[in-house]
Amino acid sequence: MLTLNFIREKKELIIERLKVKNFDAREIIDKIIDLDNKRRKTKQKSDSLQSEINQISKEIGKLFSQGLKEEAEAVKKKTAAIKEEIKKAGTALGHIEKELMELLVTVPNIPNEMVVPGKSEEGNVKVKEGGTIPELVNDPLPHWELARKFDIIDFELGNKLTGAGFPVYKGKGAKLQRALINYFLDEGQKAGFSEVLPPIIVNEDSGFGTGQLPDKEGMMYHVPVDNYYLIPTAEVPVTNIYRDVILNADQLPVKNIAYTPCFRREAGSWGAHVRGLNRLHQFDKVEIVVIAHPEKSYEALEMMVDHVEKLITSLELPYRIMRLCGGDISFTSALTYDFEVFSAAQKRWLEVSSVSNFESFQSNRLKCRFREKGEKQNKLVHTLNGSALALPRILAALLENNQHPDGIKIPDALVSYTGFESI
RNA sequence: GGAGAAAUGGCAGAGUGGUCGAAUGCGGCGGUCUUGAAAACCGUUGUCCCGAGGAAUCGGGACCGGGGGUUCGAAUCCCUCUUUCUCCGCCA
């Protein structure tokens, strides 16, 4: 959510920049500014009326303490009409604020200058490519067949227990999963991220804070009896740690890392391209979240991208880094880098990480601010997050790319975690 | 799940209808003293919104767990939700 002040001050700039995201903002911005003017006027009115009441109340208090009961009663009579007006102004203000909020949350974050226009993912810009695509044996198997062959992931069993998209990892598959989680967490800690293990079910406020609610309600599993939501990513609980928090400038940047399962309903997105591990309802992910000083957030973004790249490189996977174009970047993001690894049997690039700077778009909702020494005004922090990494597609690529006639080779970096060198 | 108690500023903790945004202590910040530090002493100390101003700042409003109500006036009374504590029950 953009701040009202920013919208008022940089109206034309916002309209111009949002064209990159294929969003026509002019009409809505005008409405917002108009409503905000109304809001201010109404607030002014209600405040001055309230001030009157406060004055009168003090007077009455004095009169009573002097024992002048009758005089006090007389003054009381003046209040009825004012109170009626306050009530009116109050409800009007409430309506205006609600409407204003409803409009505000529909305006996307403005993209960074590096974001190019584009219609879809076709327009994304490749900024880097690394690793080598392996030469595979004849008739390489896609990971879902490898999974069956070596009995390490059981999709059918998951269907029985829950439904499609909830695989059961077995034996070396389960161990490999655990190895990856531990490896990612350990590497994160070495890079200065401090670990949290948050709840994976959150309340409505948290859903709102990171922007899943009210719009993207359909992506999350809902627990109606308690009105809780299963998290679609650790970003939700971890970022919400800092909801309504004022940090000291010297605490920045805050660097957190968290492993959680993630739950996504992914309604209506089924077909051949989402077979096997490519898209799941429940999956594991290690997430990094950074709360940064506004002047240092792009530095932080770079640091995060480097970290993710190092992880993928250490797993010896062929990868490319894409800078998302205006058509593919998310509603909340100012700049996003996607990491894709090449899954050699499917012959496809699979997205395994998305690292974004939200600038103050999220922190404005979260009300996460920081205090600079010597400055009175608290300012909004910048928030960033990224996957480091999402497991299923990494697993898919590892299985497919490392298949050999005699089994699947585990990358060296993982062996001390798995305890075995091949499957 | 049942019974009872409680929720106040960064923390501790007063305040049960009228200058209470809130005593006091601790902490933080600034200063005096000191070669320096500590101690002592003095001062200062939240957040949000509206308005004025170039700014420092000033005026107004709101906030004592959340929401609602009573009243001219609520931290204080009432309703409701949430959370915490104690006792009982149950349980990984």
Side-chain angles (χ1 to χ4, degrees):
Chain A
M1 186 166 78
L2 298 173
T3 66
L4 275 168
N5 280 340
F6 185 70
I7 291 176
R8 296 181 74 100
E9 282 163 25
K10 297 281 158 68
K11 175 183 156 181
E12 292 304 325
L13 175 88
I14 292 170
I15 291 169
E16 200 49 41
R17 296 296 305 153
L18 282 180
K19 284 182 187 163
V20 173
K21 280 195 174 182
N22 307 315
F23 187 89
D24 182 6
R26 184 167 295 281
E27 200 180 324
I28 191 159
I29 297 262
D30 282 340
K31 264 196 215 165
I32 286 173
I33 293 176
D34 194 50
L35 265 175
D36 189 44
N37 288 336
K38 264 195 220 164
R39 180 188 127 255
R40 291 176 181 209
K41 247 184 230 157
T42 313
K43 165 87 172 140
Q44 220 173 315
K45 190 174 162 196
S46 123
D47 278 359
S48 66
L49 289 168
Q50 187 61 52
S51 177
E52 263 184 75
I53 288 283
N54 290 346
Q55 286 298 322
I56 293 173
S57 295
K58 272 183 199 169
E59 238 178 89
I60 293 175
K62 259 184 217 156
L63 291 173
F64 266 117
S65 64
Q66 289 164 11
L68 301 169
K69 270 192 189 163
E70 277 175 33
E71 285 83 343
E73 290 300 330
V75 177
K76 261 193 207 180
K77 290 195 176 110
K78 292 199 288 188
T79 60
I82 303 174
K83 286 193 76 179
E84 192 57 38
E85 272 190 87
I86 290 180
K87 211 172 173 183
K88 262 193 232 161
T91 41
L93 190 61
H95 287 307
I96 292 167
E97 279 175 348
K98 184 164 170 267
E99 204 181 329
L100 190 55
M101 185 55 88
E102 279 164 2
L103 286 178
L104 270 176
V105 298
T106 63
V107 181
N109 197 3
I110 42 172
N112 180 279
E113 281 169 17
M114 291 169 93
V115 176
V116 298
K119 286 267 174 288
S120 65
E121 56 181 309
E122 308 285 310
N124 294 343
V125 179
K126 184 164 73 187
V127 294
K128 196 165 180 184
E129 197 163 359
T132 45
I133 294 171
E135 300 280 333
L136 294 186
V137 291
N138 292 334
D139 301 318
L141 298 175
H143 67 269
W144 52 88
E145 286 183 27
L146 291 166
R148 191 201 308 267
K149 181 174 165 189
F150 294 101
D151 195 26
I152 51 173
I153 307 171
D154 195 331
F155 292 98
E156 286 74 24
L157 186 53
N159 289 344
K160 173 186 165 185
L161 300 182
T162 309
F166 292 91
V168 178
Y169 301 90
K170 293 156 68 174
K172 283 183 171 177
K175 189 74 190 288
L176 179 53
Q177 194 77 1
R178 187 148 57 89
L180 283 165
I181 293 167
N182 284 333
Y183 175 63
F184 294 154
L185 285 173
D186 286 353
E187 291 302 303
Q189 269 179 335
K190 280 185 212 162
F193 290 90
S194 62
E195 188 175 344
V196 286
L197 186 62
I200 57 172
I201 299 181
V202 296
N203 60 28
E204 232 176 345
D205 287 345
S206 295
F208 179 83
T210 30
Q212 281 72 27
L213 298 175
D215 283 354
K216 284 157 235 155
E217 184 150 19
M219 83 184 292
M220 293 192 287
Y221 288 96
H222 185 215
V223 185
V225 269
D226 297 301
N227 196 23
Y228 289 159
Y229 293 86
L230 274 68
I231 59 169
T233 158
E235 168 197 345
V236 178
V238 176
T239 311
N240 271 284
I241 292 174
Y242 304 96
R243 168 153 48 87
D244 293 318
V245 166
I246 300 172
L247 296 154
N248 283 322
D250 58 19
Q251 291 175 276
L252 301 174
V254 174
K255 296 165 72 181
N256 282 141
I257 187 165
Y259 153 72
T260 67
C262 301
F263 303 89
R264 296 186 185 179
R265 294 191 58 237
E266 305 287 4
S269 71
W270 295 101
H273 63 295
V274 295
R275 270 194 87 169
L277 295 169
N278 290 348
R279 182 159 303 166
L280 300 171
H281 285 309
Q282 178 182 334
F283 63 97
D284 294 302
K285 181 159 62 69
V286 173
E287 181 82 0
I288 48 179
V289 171
V290 173
I291 313 283
H293 190 287
E295 283 160 25
K296 301 266 177 75
S297 68
Y298 281 92
E299 226 169 83
L301 183 67
E302 221 171 287
M303 174 274 292
M304 293 163 80
V305 166
D306 286 348
H307 179 69
V308 174
E309 185 179 4
K310 232 170 90 187
L311 288 180
I312 294 175
T313 308
S314 73
L315 293 176
E316 301 160 47
L317 292 169
Y319 67 95
R320 59 183 194 183
I321 305 176
M322 313 294 285
R323 183 162 53 233
L324 298 193
C325 72
D328 202 27
I329 193 170
S330 78
F331 182 83
T332 42
S333 177
L335 185 61
T336 296
Y337 290 99
D338 269 10
F339 283 76
E340 300 177 340
V341 298
F342 195 74
S343 209
Q346 295 184 76
K347 296 192 168 57
R348 291 180 54 202
W349 291 98
L350 300 176
E351 184 193 329
V352 292
S353 175
S354 191
V355 185
S356 303
N357 187 355
F358 305 105
E359 298 192 356
S360 60
F361 194 79
Q362 218 170 34
S363 58
N364 185 33
R365 271 194 176 208
L366 288 164
K367 296 280 168 284
C368 178
R369 300 170 301 242
F370 74 102
R371 209 191 316 266
E372 198 117 47
K373 238 191 156 83
E375 283 196 35
K376 298 246 158 146
Q377 188 87 42
N378 296 320
K379 285 187 287 195
L380 292 169
V381 298
H382 281 190
T383 62
L384 307 92
N385 68 47
S387 352
L389 288 158
L391 269 70
R393 294 175 191 161
I394 288 286
L395 188 58
L398 283 179
L399 296 177
E400 292 183 15
N401 296 13
N402 296 331
Q403 58 183 303
H404 297 285
D406 50 345
I408 297 164
K409 185 187 175 298
I410 302 295
D412 294 341
L414 285 178
V415 171
S416 66
Y417 287 89
T418 56
F420 49 83
E421 289 175 19
S422 68
I423 292 172

